């Protein structure tokens, strides 16, 4: 897996102050994407164990509320393999902090068992995510006034409540 960048103190991609990992690789290729360079799976730097350690060390800062994954596309199957390891470690070391993840895939259409982006680690990866912003960016539905999303078709899903209730529960601002 490659990544485009790591933001040490991000306040734009989730609530509070966050460490944000922008992964590389995306097959959605949404028209109007704000980071089309991240569509390339080899854009940026190679993600290594040292990268993971750097992220974990950044998360030790008491002012950091959690981690955000976006890209590119965190749920591309090749990206899931590395990200699930990072999230597993994150939840072990920082159980009080939260995970936000932005995906251009639709949770209940693409990421559930038997669907097109489901892998052997998708369920585990989803289990670590507190807030999932899902759906492709649609230029014709762009709305800059939206909270943590770029177009009206995208949803901000409370994954913990969704798992508990067995149906999609949206996160309220």
């Amino acid at each position: 897996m490659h990544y485009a960048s790591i933001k040490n103190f991000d306040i734009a991609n989730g609530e509070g102050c966050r460490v944000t990992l922008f992964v590389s690789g995306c097959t959605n290729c949404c028209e109007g994407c704000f980071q089309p360079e991240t569509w390339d799976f080899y854009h940026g730097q190679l993600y290594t164990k040292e990268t993971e350690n750097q992220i974990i060390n950044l998360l030790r800062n008491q002012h950091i509320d959690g981690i955000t994954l976006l890209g590119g596309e965190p749920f591309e199957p090749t990206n899931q393999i590395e990200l699930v390891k990072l999230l597993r470690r994150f939840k072990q070391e920082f159980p009080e902090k939260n995970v936000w993840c932005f995906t251009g895939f639709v949770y209940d259409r693409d990421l559930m068992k038997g669907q097109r982006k489901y892998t052997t680690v998708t369920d585990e990866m989803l289990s670590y995510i507190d807030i999932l912003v899902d759906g492709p960016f649609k230029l014709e539905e762009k709305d800059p006034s939206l909270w943590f999303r770029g177009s009206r078709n995208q949803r901000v899903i409370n994954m913990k409540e969704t798992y508990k209730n067995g149906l999609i529960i949206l996160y309220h601002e």
Side-chain angles (χ1 to χ4, degrees):
M1 179 179 89
H2 282 71
Y3 68 98
S5 66
I6 298 168
K7 304 291 184 204
N8 299 0
F9 295 99
D10 184 0
I11 58 169
N13 294 298
E15 289 187 327
C17 191
R18 321 191 60 72
V19 172
T20 302
L21 173 63
F22 289 83
V23 300
S24 294
C26 183
T27 57
N28 288 313
C29 303
C30 301
E31 180 185 358
C33 174
F34 77 102
Q35 290 200 144
E37 65 277 4
T38 64
W39 298 351
D40 178 355
F41 282 83
Y42 298 100
H43 174 74
Q45 300 175 19
L46 182 65
Y47 182 91
T48 64
K49 187 65 173 176
E50 289 75 28
T51 311
E52 178 183 303
N53 291 337
Q54 174 190 357
I55 292 168
I56 293 296
N57 285 333
L58 290 169
L59 289 160
R60 294 187 196 292
N61 185 316
Q62 67 179 355
H63 302 295
I64 298 295
D65 295 295
I67 188 170
T68 298
L69 305 175
L70 67 164
E73 177 54 61
F75 278 97
E76 288 292 353
T78 56
N79 291 342
Q80 289 184 47
I81 293 165
E82 289 301 324
L83 292 176
V84 75
K85 295 176 203 172
L86 172 63
L87 292 179
R88 187 182 302 133
R89 183 174 172 195
F90 170 82
K91 283 297 186 174
Q92 288 171 349
E93 294 194 31
F94 309 105
E96 74 287 358
K97 296 186 181 199
N98 61 60
V99 177
W100 280 59
C101 182
F102 290 74
T103 179
F105 299 120
V106 178
Y107 167 65
D108 48 335
R109 187 185 72 207
D110 300 318
L111 301 177
M112 296 178 89
K113 189 171 185 170
Q115 296 172 337
R116 68 187 187 112
K117 295 299 176 174
Y118 185 86
T119 73
T120 58
V121 298
T122 304
D123 285 335
E124 182 182 1
M125 188 166 153
L126 285 166
S127 76
Y128 298 129
I129 295 170
D130 297 285
I131 304 297
L132 180 70
V133 181
D134 82 335
F137 173 76
K138 293 188 176 180
L139 190 57
E140 65 276 8
E141 294 189 47
K142 180 179 179 178
D143 183 346
S145 71
L146 294 171
W147 185 73
F148 294 117
R149 58 198 196 277
S151 58
R152 288 183 297 280
N153 63 296
Q154 295 171 315
R155 304 177 294 183
V156 182
I157 301 172
N158 182 327
M159 292 302 293
K160 299 304 175 200
E161 291 299 315
T162 293
Y163 277 135
K164 188 179 350 175
N165 292 291
L167 59 127
I168 293 174
I169 306 294
L170 298 180
Y171 186 70
H172 300 290
E173 37 185 299

